[in-house]
Amino acid sequence: MSEQESQFLLILFGGIFFAFLMSLFVVAMVILHRQRQVKNRQKLEQIKSEYEKTLLNVENEIHQETLAQIGRELHDNIGQLLSLTKLSLNSAKPEKQQQAKEYVNQVIKEVRALSKTLNLDWVESLSLDEFINQQLHRIQATGFCETSLQSDHSFAELKKEEKLVLIRVIQECLNNAIKHADPSRIDIRIHQNGKVRILQIADDGRGFDTSQKSSGSGMYNLGKRMETIGGKFQLSSIVGKGTVVNLELPFSV
């Protein structure tokens, strides 16, 4: 075999070997890419599952809060109206009989109003501002503390899941203020800062040292819930000067 033929065979086998290596490289890259796709798909499914679980928990908690509210209304409001109705009916005076009819009509209105809250249809029919006004009105009506709402209606356009999470977070923040802060005022302010909407809940209550680790996971859970809708939860507090919570949510693209 001549030297020229040997060189040709060497080049040929070298080319075949190189092509083989390239094929292995391509196959390995394809397999790696598919593995990454599978992992990404699994990660997306996990995120989706956690998101749906969070929303389900929020809906369940709102149902529980609604049922608790209905229980209070039945006991404190409707129960009282029925007791007054019974007392009026036991009287033979015409004016008391008329008063009993008025009480019955009031009971019917209250029951109809309560029946509407047994499902979550009210979430879609009620704006966030209206919901906050209702919550603050209930707090102030008890004589617990003064309340106020200032809003530029930045949260007027919300997806159902965004509104659900915000409603539950607001409820929890107000409950915390009532249970732990003992404030004389609770003020809520809604405004826009660039492309971000901000809902601020401030009280002038006891406050607490945020550097001290809490035994509970309430604040952490509220933060994670805001994350599920692309938002942020920020809290600041000073002992003796109150607490401020900021809920930030970017405008939907």
Side-chain angles (χ1 to χ4, degrees):
M1 183 180 294
S2 66
E3 185 179 348
Q4 188 176 12
E5 289 175 337
S6 297
Q7 288 179 348
F8 174 77
L9 288 174
L10 184 62
I11 293 170
L12 178 62
F13 283 120
I16 293 172
F17 181 70
F18 180 74
F20 177 71
L21 288 177
M22 288 299 297
S23 298
L24 285 178
F25 177 75
V26 170
V27 169
M29 290 300 294
V30 169
I31 292 173
L32 183 62
H33 178 67
R34 287 181 177 175
Q35 287 177 340
R36 285 179 178 173
Q37 281 185 321
V38 170
K39 287 182 180 179
N40 288 337
R41 249 194 313 269
Q42 290 174 341
K43 190 175 181 180
L44 285 173
E45 288 297 323
Q46 183 181 359
I47 292 172
K48 182 180 178 182
S49 176
E50 290 176 355
Y51 174 72
E52 290 174 347
K53 184 179 178 181
T54 297
L55 289 182
L56 181 61
N57 287 338
V58 168
E59 288 191 3
N60 287 336
E61 287 172 1
I62 291 177
H63 272 303
Q64 293 300 318
E65 185 76 20
T66 300
L67 289 173
Q69 177 193 329
I70 289 172
R72 288 192 296 268
E73 289 292 322
L74 287 172
H75 181 271
D76 299 335
N77 187 17
I78 294 177
Q80 184 182 25
L81 285 171
L82 289 174
S83 296
L84 291 172
T85 302
K86 182 180 178 181
L87 290 173
S88 298
L89 287 173
N90 286 335
S91 173
K93 295 179 180 180
E95 61 270 21
K96 289 293 184 181
Q97 297 292 322
Q98 180 59 35
Q99 196 173 49
K101 291 179 182 179
E102 293 175 1
Y103 285 143
V104 169
N105 288 332
Q106 184 63 29
V107 167
I108 292 171
K109 288 180 183 179
E110 295 289 341
V111 170
R112 284 176 178 171
L114 285 174
S115 68
K116 293 179 181 178
T117 65
L118 287 173
N119 55 49
L120 290 180
D121 290 344
W122 60 268
V123 172
E124 294 185 7
S125 62
L126 200 68
S127 72
L128 194 68
D129 284 17
E130 289 170 332
F131 166 77
I132 294 171
N133 264 321
Q134 285 185 0
Q135 298 298 303
L136 296 181
H137 176 73
R138 286 196 184 104
I139 293 171
Q140 187 158 329
T142 64
F144 178 78
C145 70
E146 294 294 316
T147 64
S148 72
L149 171 64
Q150 293 181 358
S151 175
D152 64 359
H153 311 295
S154 296
F155 286 85
E157 298 296 328
L158 287 170
K159 298 175 184 175
K160 182 181 178 181
E161 57 269 23
E162 291 175 337
K163 194 187 293 186
L164 274 172
V165 170
L166 284 169
I167 282 174
R168 188 56 190 148
V169 172
I170 292 166
Q171 282 179 331
E172 193 64 24
C173 289
L174 292 175
N175 286 339
N176 286 337
I178 292 169
K179 290 178 183 177
H180 308 297
D182 191 25
S184 61
R185 286 196 65 84
I186 296 177
D187 299 305
I188 296 182
R189 183 185 173 215
I190 294 173
H191 65 283
Q192 177 183 348
N193 185 5
K195 295 182 179 180
V196 177
R197 294 168 283 183
I198 301 173
L199 192 154
Q200 184 181 86
I201 305 171
D203 70 67
D204 62 353
R206 293 192 182 100
F208 61 96
D209 186 354
T210 55
S211 65
Q212 298 293 322
K213 288 187 178 180
S214 172
S215 59
S217 57
M219 297 299 105
Y220 174 79
N221 288 337
L222 295 181
K224 294 300 290 183
R225 287 185 172 182
M226 287 301 296
E227 286 180 11
T228 63
I229 57 173
K232 293 181 181 179
F233 175 91
Q234 296 179 329
L235 180 146
S236 61
S237 186
I238 300 175
V239 176
K241 293 188 177 180
T243 301
V244 177
V245 172
N246 282 329
L247 308 179
E248 296 184 6
L249 188 67
F251 284 93
S252 302
V253 180

